[in-house]
Amino acid sequence: MQWESLGFKENPFSTEPITQITLPLYTGHEAEVAVCKKALSEKNIFIVIEGARGVGTTSFANYLRFSAQAKKNYFTPRNEVRVEPDWNLETLLAVIIANIVREIELFQSDKAIKDKRFQNAKALSMRIAEAYRSFGIEAFGFGVNYGKSAGNINQPIVVPSAVLGHHLEDLAALIKALGYRYGILLQLNNLDIGTVHEEKHLKYLFNAIRDYIQTDGISWIFVGDIGLRRFIAQEVDRLDDIVSYEAEIPPITKSKYEMLIKKRIQFYQFNPKASLPVEQAVFSYLYEITKGRLRYIFGLLHRLMDNLHVGDLTDQITLDLAKPMIIKLARDRISRNKISPVDEEMLKLIAKRDRVVVSDLVRETKKSASYVSNILSKLAQFKLITVQQKGRNRYYSPSLDAIIAFS
């Protein structure tokens, strides 16, 4: 899509979370923001943020971090740490240190870079990175994703966690010496239980990192799917005791959503006469069918603009044009997985419900539990359904693509 021809610097509906540059675009959740900002007005804070996928939990946490950094209360890396499945404690601490080192090297003064604490941490980070590169080549060969394969093998412990913890303390002291009042603020993402991480492994990781969360001069924000806070409370007593505050982020309200659309249009337009060739009814429709999930809405808007060739033969995307195209786009995305007609019928059944258990589908299809479970496993692998474990029960819910395509 040539956004320049429409009078915009770039895509106003990028699905990227809020960054330091786009901080003015953040809209909504004022009450939650106020409470979290108050919590971050002191050192050694631990906040847990949860919400459904696509509602803006990462942007919410980024807004908190970058706002705190603008006041020089905290130093925070530009990138959140995306915790991969089956990382051990040493891997997580090494990635955190590497992020801090990179941020200091790129954006802090020569004085900081010449400091012995920084130089030692950088040397350690380079040593660990080299070891992991060698480990990856030997274990997987070229081109294999480390994160997806790590659960099948033992990850290397190049440096013990205690040593990594000492370097983290040194970096926190260095950051305070640079004028950041409360030290370092770190954000861990991807803490989704049952979808990204298995409960057993996340329980280990949370128990293991607990002592490092209490490092003086380090504050933390954990971001995950709905259920993260409950999991910590029920399964990880050691961590539950030190949570400073928790926030569940709901979808943005419709009025705030409309305000956000206007903000984005104004922020990205370079021509004051530029207007987005999308009917207001389309924005409202997208909000309703996605239940306010911004990431999905923005992704759909981008694909609509591309597929309907705005500015060529179509100068306005109306609701009549958008509806069938949105359904087609959802079905096209599903068809790329090449699921069988039987699998598709099962997906249609799930799409008509908010969530189901295996027994519900066994009763409807008159098939065996093992037969249904095999299909559900395949649909989950393709991310056409999501799975949540609650006690002994596994609940299956349709993806937004499935809801739009078949509900």
Side-chain angles (χ1 to χ4, degrees), residues 143-159:
V144 179
N145 184 288
Y146 173 76
K148 291 181 180 177
S149 305
N152 301 322
I153 56 178
N154 292 319
Q155 295 170 32
I157 298 178
V158 182
V159 179

Side-chain angles (χ1 to χ4, degrees), residues 29-160:
H29 305 120
E30 288 86 353
E32 293 88 349
V33 166
V35 175
C36 287
K37 280 187 173 182
K38 186 176 180 181
L40 288 169
S41 63
E42 54 185 295
K43 67 174 185 174
N44 302 344
I45 298 302
F46 175 29
I47 297 175
V48 177
I49 295 170
E50 62 177 40
R53 290 184 185 183
V55 301
T57 48
T58 298
S59 287
F60 178 85
N62 283 355
Y63 181 74
L64 294 177
R65 290 192 300 122
F66 298 141
S67 296
Q69 181 165 260
K71 295 179 179 179
K72 264 215 157 182
N73 284 339
Y74 285 97
F75 169 90
T76 187
R78 278 162 174 72
N79 294 330
E80 64 273 6
V81 176
R82 299 174 182 90
V83 182
E84 295 290 342
D86 300 310
W87 271 5
N88 60 28
L89 174 63
E90 289 76 15
T91 300
L92 177 55
L93 291 175
V95 170
I96 288 169
I97 290 171
N99 269 270
I100 297 170
V101 165
R102 182 173 61 245
E103 192 74 16
I104 292 173
E105 188 167 36
L106 289 174
F107 301 104
Q108 293 300 312
S109 64
D110 289 342
K111 179 183 176 182
I113 294 169
K114 291 175 182 176
D115 191 287
K116 188 176 181 180
R117 291 167 292 190
F118 169 80
Q119 292 180 346
N120 289 341
K122 182 181 178 181
L124 177 82
S125 184
M126 291 174 67
R127 175 184 160 199
I128 294 171
E130 183 57 39
Y132 269 76
R133 278 194 291 270
S134 300
F135 176 71
I137 292 168
E138 291 168 8
F140 311 120
F142 292 97
V144 179
N145 184 288
Y146 173 76
K148 291 181 180 177
S149 305
N152 301 322
I153 56 178
N154 292 319
Q155 295 170 32
I157 298 178
V158 182
V159 179

